[in-house]
Amino acid sequence: FQTYNNLVNTNYDYFLAMDAGFAHNPEDIRKFVKKMRENYDYICGSRFSYKGSYNGPLYRQLVSRLGTSMTKIFFSTEMTDLTSGFDCFSSKILKILVRNWEVHIKSNNHFYNTEQRYLLNRFNWAEVPITYKKTSTKPSITQNIRNRLPDYY
């Protein structure tokens, strides 16, 4: 949320967010750019849409699919993946999301993605198929930076 909040008063047209663990394919960014040019307010990546793919632990896929299925049943949305961390927001929609965060987003963990997508479901949105691959067992970028910081002090 802090990143979103910091962007509210900056000048941008779109903000693209993706997980930092190298699980998402940067080549999928062009699909988001295409939808930006079509003036969608919110573009979400979907591992489970036509031409989307998931290559990771089965238990994570089951949790994601179950969460998506339950949300679709109870809250009427056509989105096919409500737990992905690959999103693109117009500046307008991100401001709306930030203003309504505390009212609509109750989760403090990864389920905020589901709540966020449900909230944005009523706006001009599109899904793009994305590729998800199992992340490496190597440390994340953040871990690498933290591990190297003491070298510079």
Side-chain angles (χ1 to χ4, degrees), residues 4 7-8 10-17 32 35-44 87-99 120 123-126:
Y4 296 167
L7 286 168
V8 168
T10 61
N11 187 20
Y12 64 95
D13 293 323
Y14 283 92
F15 171 68
L16 180 70
F32 287 88
K35 295 298 180 184
M36 287 180 215
R37 290 185 178 133
E38 295 173 16
N39 294 316
Y40 283 96
D41 293 320
Y42 175 62
I43 306 140
C44 46
D87 302 287
C88 184
F89 309 85
S90 69
S91 60
K92 175 185 99 175
I93 212 70
L94 194 60
K95 288 173 185 174
I96 290 169
L97 183 62
V98 167
R99 276 196 311 264
L120 299 176
F123 293 95
N124 183 26
W125 64 273

Side-chain angles (χ1 to χ4, degrees), residues 125-141:
W125 64 273
E127 269 186 336
V128 294
I130 60 169
T131 300
Y132 177 92
K133 64 180 182 206
K134 180 180 177 186
T135 56
S136 169
T137 57
K138 296 177 185 174
S140 70
I141 293 173

Side-chain angles (χ1 to χ4, degrees), residues 17 19 23 31 42 47 51-52 68 71 77 85-86 94 103 116 119 135 143:
D19 292 344
K31 298 172 189 173
Y42 175 62
R47 301 161 291 182
K51 294 191 178 180
T68 294
T71 304
T77 177
F86 206 167
L94 194 60
V103 174
Q116 169 183 287
L119 177 64
T135 56
Q143 289 169 321

Side-chain angles (χ1 to χ4, degrees), residues 23-60:
H24 295 122
N25 186 349
E27 291 182 18
D28 287 334
I29 292 171
R30 72 182 79 180
K31 298 172 189 173
F32 287 88
V33 171
K34 181 178 183 237
K35 295 298 180 184
M36 287 180 215
R37 290 185 178 133
E38 295 173 16
N39 294 316
Y40 283 96
D41 293 320
Y42 175 62
I43 306 140
C44 46
S46 175
R47 301 161 291 182
F48 308 131
S49 66
Y50 177 69
K51 294 191 178 180
S53 68
Y54 178 90
N55 180 16
L58 181 59
Y59 73 91
R60 286 191 65 187

Side-chain angles (χ1 to χ4, degrees), residues 87-117:
D87 302 287
C88 184
F89 309 85
S90 69
S91 60
K92 175 185 99 175
I93 212 70
L94 194 60
K95 288 173 185 174
I96 290 169
L97 183 62
V98 167
R99 276 196 311 264
N100 291 286
W101 191 275
E102 291 183 11
V103 174
H104 294 288
I105 310 295
K106 303 299 181 195
S107 297
N108 292 325
N109 54 33
H110 297 294
F111 291 109
Y112 82 89
N113 282 332
T114 303
E115 292 180 78
Q116 169 183 287
R117 288 186 182 202

Side-chain angles (χ1 to χ4, degrees), residues 72-90:
K72 288 176 76 164
I73 291 168
F74 292 113
F75 298 106
S76 296
T77 177
E78 296 300 316
M79 292 179 180
T80 61
D81 186 351
L82 289 146
T83 61
S84 167
F86 206 167
D87 302 287
C88 184
F89 309 85
S90 69

